Amino acid sequence: MLRLYDNHKSGNGYKLRLLLAHLGQAFERIEVDIDTGGSRTPAFLQKNPNGRIPVLELEDGTCLAESNAILFYLAEGTRFLPSDRLLRAQTLQWMFFEQYSHEPFIAVVRHWLHLGALTDQQRAQLPAKREGGHAALAVMESHLDGAGWFGGPGVTIADIALYAYTHVAEEGGFDLGAYPNVRAWLDRVAAAPGHVPMALEELS
């Protein structure tokens, strides 16, 4: 059985839980306490020398790291990864956008605020981080003005990658009221068959 090394607060881990739910794929979820160094132990570093979650351990013991690479692996041969060459590249385009232009701002600010009091360095960086987050949301809003999804005619792993931190962006102080197309897209993703919430307690 697949094993997912995850943390319940992680949007990157949620991406994988969400796709696995859509695929109906059974897996064992192993909670890693990243706040107390759980991803820095010698045992974990053997699975991912970069010391980060999530990690997917395959049935043969092979370990994959980096959430979007894992999404790509799991989606191969399914409707979540287009077979058309251009649509496949466009799906990857939005996944690279998520990692480079979206997550470093929206996810980071959310994480900082969840930790409690900001450090002086974080407080100084906050305006630039918020500006970057709103820039990413504006790009998404513009794309969704003429499209229903990211990367294909239906939901793809690009949508799953972007959904994970966008749907909790307000926890980082990003008001989504100015982005009606994004909000409508969030509703479409949440309404897709097989959708599961990020909060694990909501699954019971």
Side-chain angles (χ1 to χ4, degrees):
M1 179 179 289
L2 297 175
R3 290 189 177 91
L4 176 62
Y5 294 84
D6 182 22
N7 181 275
H8 67 282
K9 296 179 291 186
S10 168
N12 285 323
Y14 173 53
K15 295 174 188 178
L16 307 182
R17 299 197 303 270
L18 181 52
L19 179 59
L20 287 164
H22 278 299
L23 296 175
Q25 173 69 58
F27 68 99
E28 178 186 2
R29 197 189 78 84
I30 300 172
E31 178 77 4
V32 179
D33 190 345
I34 57 178
D35 294 328
T36 60
S39 63
R40 300 289 174 174
T41 65
F44 188 88
L45 290 172
Q46 286 187 344
K47 302 181 185 301
N48 180 13
N50 198 28
R52 296 178 182 273
I53 54 99
V55 170
L56 184 71
E57 186 173 351
L58 308 183
E59 290 90 342
D60 66 357
T62 301
C63 290
L64 291 174
E66 299 299 331
S67 60
N68 286 355
I70 300 170
L71 285 178
F72 190 88
Y73 172 83
L74 291 172
E76 185 69 51
T78 76
R79 63 186 174 89
F80 295 96
L81 180 60
S83 58
D84 176 83
R85 185 179 181 185
L86 178 59
L87 292 178
R88 196 178 183 93
Q90 289 173 335
T91 297
L92 288 173
Q93 168 190 298
W94 284 110
M95 294 173 76
F96 295 146
F97 167 86
E98 187 267 341
Q99 286 288 279
Y100 184 77
S101 300
H102 183 286
E103 184 186 16
F105 304 104
I106 292 174
V108 167
V109 171
R110 173 180 176 264
H111 178 66
W112 285 354
L113 296 182
H114 273 219
L115 288 177
L118 294 172
T119 66
D120 290 341
Q121 183 179 20
Q122 290 168 346
R123 190 173 293 105
Q125 294 177 7
L126 195 56
K129 290 288 187 183
R130 289 203 189 282
E131 182 178 354
H134 282 293
L137 291 168
V139 170
M140 294 170 65
E141 180 73 11
S142 177
H143 170 78
L144 291 168
D145 193 43
W149 305 97
F150 294 94
V155 62
T156 69
I157 51 175
D159 296 282
I160 289 174
L162 284 163
Y163 179 85
Y165 282 113
T166 303
H167 89 290
V168 291
E170 292 185 337
E171 294 180 8
F174 294 95
D175 182 2
L176 297 181
Y179 308 101
N181 293 331
V182 171
R183 287 189 286 111
W185 164 77
L186 290 173
D187 290 341
R188 288 194 294 276
V189 176
H195 183 82
V196 293
M198 183 174 184
L200 296 174
E201 59 267 20
E202 296 180 32
L203 296 175
S204 56

